[in-house]
Structure formats: C-alpha cells, structure tokens
Amino acid sequence: MGNLRALSCFILLILVVFTTARPKSGPDQKCKSGPVDLVFLIDSSRSVRPHEFETMRKFMIDILNTLDIGPDSTRVGVVQYSSQVRNEFSLKTHSKLENMVKAINEIVPLAQGTMTGLAIRYLMNEAFSPGQGDRPKVPNVAVIVTDGRPQDRVAEVATEAREKGIEIYAVGVARADMTSLRAMASPPFEDHVFLVERFDLIHQFGLQFQDKLCGIDLCSESEHGCEHLCESTPGSYICHCLPGYRLNADGKTCSAIDLCAEGKHDCQQICISSPGSFTCDCNRGHQLNDDEKTCSPIDLCAEGKHDCQQVCVYMGPGFFTCDCNEGYRLNEDEKSCAPIDLCAEGKHDCEQVCVNMGPGIFTCDCNKGYRLNEDEKSCSAIDLCAEGKHDCEQICVSAPGVFTCDCNKGFKLNRDKRTCTNMDMCNTVKHGCEYQCVNTPGSYHCICPEGQLLQEDGKTCGTCKSSNIDLVLLIDGSKSVRPQNFELVKKFVNQVVDSLDVSARGTRVGLVQYSSRVRTEFPLSMYHTAEDIKAAVLKVDYMEKGTMTGLALKHMLENSFSEAEGARPASHNIPRVGLVFTDGRSQDDISEYAKKAKEAGITMYAVGVGKAVEDELREIASDPVEKHFYYTTDFSAINTIAENLKLNVCPAESQGEVEVKDPCACENLVEFQQATMNSLDQLTQKHILC
C-alpha cells in the first residue's frame, strides 16, 4: 500500500507539469513522492512538426525540474517511437538532472509512422526490465504523449502492460484519437486520459492536480464518485464496497455478490439470493427435504391417481397427462384413445401411394411406370434413357417408361425421330463476318487475318490503334509530394494521355486525386479528346495532407468505374485499367480493395516514386506483378516511366525498341509483354492469335 500511495502522489506530480513552463523549483520545493521508475514514451511521427516536438522537449524538462531525481529516488528514461522504437536513455543511464536535460535536447525525431502498440511492447519488455534499471517493488509509471491514431493494435498490449503493474497515462494532442487513448490508459480514465487541441495547451492540465499532490483528502473534498465507501490515499483515493458487494471494473460502483447467479450454491432446484448469501426452495409440486437443499417430487402416475385409458405420463411433481399407445390418438376428453389411419390423414411420407396396414401402420407403393426405392418411401421413374434402352443418336429425353429423341445445338432431328443433321450456320445465315466465318455446332464466330483484332461488334477487323479501354488514374496529392513535384505528376499524366487514342467510342480517361480524402477531378464521361483532358489535368489543384490509398482504391472501384461516371457496360468487353501513382506508404489498409479491384476484372498498375513502399505497389499491381509495377527514386525520372508506357501501346510505335507490345494485348494500356526479337522478320513469323 505504501508503494501504491507513493505512485499516486508521483503521477499527480507529473500532471502538474501539464500547466505552464514554470521556473525551476529549488530542492526544498520538490515533492518527495518516494522512489518511482518513470519512462516517457513520446510520439515522433512525421505528423509532429518541429516546433511541436520542441514543446514536447520542454514538457519533459519541466517535469524533470519538479522531481527528486536520484538513483534511490526517482529514475527517468525516455523512449521515442514512430514506425520504429528508439531508446534515448534508460532508467539507469543518468542519475543527475543536468545529464537528462542534455540528453533530451539532443533527441533527433524519427519522423515516420505511428506504431504505438510496438512502442508499448518495447516499454513493457525492455524499458521496465532489470537490465535497463527497473527496480523491484518500485512503482512503474509510463507517460505516453501522441498526436495521432495508432497504425497498429494497442488495446491488447496495453492491457498486458497494465496487468504487469505499469500505470499508464495517455496524453493526446491535436489529431489524437480518444478511443485509442482510453484503450492505452489505466483506469479511472478521468485521472489518466488527457486530450488537448494543440501542443501549446498541455499546460491546462497542471493546476487541477497540484492540490492532489500535496495530500488533500480527496474523499472529503472532491466528487470521488464511490458508490459505497471511499478511502483516501496520498494524492488519490480508492473505492470500496459494503460486505456482500464487489467493486465493478469502473473502480467506483458496486454490484451485489449473487451466489445463486454465480453457481456458488448447492440447492437442487431453486436458489434465492441476497447479497453474499442464499436459501434453497423447490419447484411447484416438490417439497424441501430435511437437509434444506434437495427436493422430493409427488408422482401421481406411480400412485395410480389418474383416469387415463392407456398411458399415464408423469409431468412433474403433482402433474400428469394422458397419452396413447403407438397407432392411437388421444381424444378430445384427453383421457380415452382412438385408432389412427395415417394414410387417410396424410400423415405419411410415401411419395406416391400409401397403403393402410392397421392403427398407426402403413406401407408405401408406386404408380405405374415407377418402382419403389430401397428407402421404401420414394419412387423412381423407369428411365429407359439412363438404362441405355433407346436408339437416339444424340440426346435421349426420358419420361417414366418412355422416351423421345433430341439433338445438340446446331443440329436438327431427322424425320426418323432418331438421328440428327449438322447445320452449317456460315452457309445458311448472313453472318456479316468481314474476313472469315468459322462454323461451330449450331453456331459460328468471326476471325480476322494475322495482325488484326476482332472489333467490339464481333464481326469487323481493325488494327491495334483502334482498340480502346476505360482508364482511371489515381494520383497521390499528399503533402509529401510537394507542389513542384505535383506539377511533374500532371506532366506524367499528360504524357500517358498523349499515347492514347482518346474519343467517345475509343479510349476514355478519368482522373482521381487523393490525400486524406478522395476527389474525382473528372470522370470517364467528361472529356472525349486528348486536348480537353490535358487542359483539365493542368488545372488540377494540389490537395496536400495524408496518404489514404486504400480509400482511393475503394472510390475507384465503387464510383469511377460505374456506368454513372462513364464506364462502359461490362457486356461491351471494354478493358478496365486502373493506374495508381504514389510517393509514400499508405496510412490506411490497401489489401481489401486492391484485391476486390482485380477480382472485378480491373487491370491494376502501380507507379511508385521516392518513399513509395514496394510491398504495397506489388499488392496493388495485377499479375504478373513484374509487368504491372514501376518505381523510380526521383520525380524528375517519372517521364522515363511515361515513355515506357507509350512504347507499349502498340508495336508500330515502338520504333525498333527491344521491348515491344503484342497487338493481341492492346486491350490493356500498359500491359508489358517482353519478347526479345532479333528482327522484324522474326516478328512476322510469330503466330499471333487475335
């Protein structure tokens, strides 16, 4: 209890520093809180701006100035985290205040993600370990300062840390998430969770705790909220309950101990509860035995005290009902019995014919042309087709005991009603094939000469340039791109547009920009010329803020490729292509909608620059991945990627480059097919199936 009181006093001392940056207190002004091991866990993600990080430095230094620092009193460690965790100094590193202040001033922010769960696990397993200076039987206190939502799970690891005895204070600033703060902090939350709008407002949380630090009786001088009893401790209080009650998880209210509901009784039938105790009783028709626990029933059937004609059924103490033997039914008087004709009443499971064999007994039979199955209930038609007892050339159509013949599609039944004749569709209908008609049984299809593609109407032929797609480009407008680089991204988009055959009936292009939100710059249906598209691209405004790639993929799948925004119906077989351009790691999950987009038949390409994460690019890209994702370290080099995309629109535009595009795959914008060819003669000798 001594350690607990010291811990409470110390925590309240820390929170005093949340007020203002006060002048250093002299040694005689410092609260002697007793030995405590304190670790600061500070968020240094890229969302924490430099001047905000300086405020956190001052925040920690001001706290240190109020503490009784020393190897036998208060020990302090500092850990910073972002996408990784870095121990700045441990509990055993410094024993003097000036050394700690110097070390804090030398901290360099990590400026990456926000892996708070990873940091709490390090806190639990490393920072509060004997090897790092943690002392046995000395309270462990952690103060977590963060400005954003964790990018990993915190609830489970925070619970584990609290169960190991670490008291956690969660201080949220600006963009911090209250739900996450409550998941990390120790109860009660009103004493351990703090949220302010910006870093320079941390001082608001000091004065309200200074009085607690100095030993005021919080039970008598505050609204403690204890339902039954309040016990004061230095700088805090503890709630207790009256006998027969237990303290709830909120640490304030009490619930009666219901031994009956918890199964902590030995009553045979009924348990009657009162707080912390119980008595036994019996159900109706039973009586409590001398042991005051078990019950004895009253059996009227066994005692012959009934008027049933056939069967008396014991229904419990003091109760009975009448029943009948098998094949009989209880009459309305609920005492006498009458024989049952299951067939007449339809209470049988015969498929066709029910034969009454006596009270409650029947057998099944079948109609003419059917036979009874082994289950003696259902019937099966005599299937001459299945038994091979027919002379049909192609298809036998069965009816019970008889059959008729039919033919496959493209054939017709002859006059003998047995044999079939193949129908030559190419010679009997106006097929409309521009180049050649090919018969199939009962149908046909058109083909084109080598080097040409069958067009959307399924009849005419065209060159690769006449193929078309629906293309939606998702461009990253996050703040890490920067304005000058965003202009390069727009030039990249226009380079891609220059390589396309844009028209209302040809290729359609839509553009979506995303950061922390998603904005359609123009849908597939808006522009029908390359000039109009390029002009619209140049007018796009830079959004800045975060990188929600998963949200952008969801928007593309559910909106951009909808017919309402200009995507052509799936029945037209117009290829759908999505191209994602990003320069960094997504701040949300991309897996679900990257997978759904590809399952929906959208060919996905991923283009990454700078800090783009290769694993995310590969997850977005369609198979084979090597042909659908591209990366460059610098924005100035993205024009090279655009040129590569242009080279692979049609083989005629490759101008002798080594990597060419198979004409048969022109339905996709940037689908690369690597084919090393020694000469154009070898290309013409290659068999291309269009």
Side-chain angles (χ1 to χ4, degrees), residues 486 490 513 519 521 536-544:
F486 189 73
K490 292 196 288 185
Q513 183 183 177
R519 183 174 72 203
E521 301 296 349
V537 170
L538 294 177
K539 295 178 181 178
V540 171
D541 292 328
Y542 178 32
M543 293 176 69
E544 295 189 287

Side-chain angles (χ1 to χ4, degrees), residues 105-161:
N105 284 326
E106 293 175 351
I107 295 175
V108 177
L110 294 170
Q112 297 173 358
T114 311
M115 303 296 285
T116 310
L118 178 67
I120 295 175
R121 186 164 298 281
Y122 177 89
L123 189 79
M124 177 176 60
N125 295 335
E126 299 293 334
F128 286 114
S129 66
Q132 297 294 323
D134 183 59
R135 294 168 288 180
K137 299 183 180 179
V138 172
N140 292 158
V141 178
V143 177
I144 303 174
V145 183
T146 180
D147 82 320
R149 182 189 299 272
Q151 293 176 333
D152 57 353
R153 300 173 66 89
V154 298
E156 294 83 359
V157 68
T159 299
E160 186 177 351

Side-chain angles (χ1 to χ4, degrees), residues 43-45 80-85 110-116:
D43 177 357
S44 64
S45 61
Q80 71 158 318
Y81 73 94
S82 59
S83 296
Q84 56 182 310
V85 181
L110 294 170
Q112 297 173 358
T114 311
M115 303 296 285
T116 310

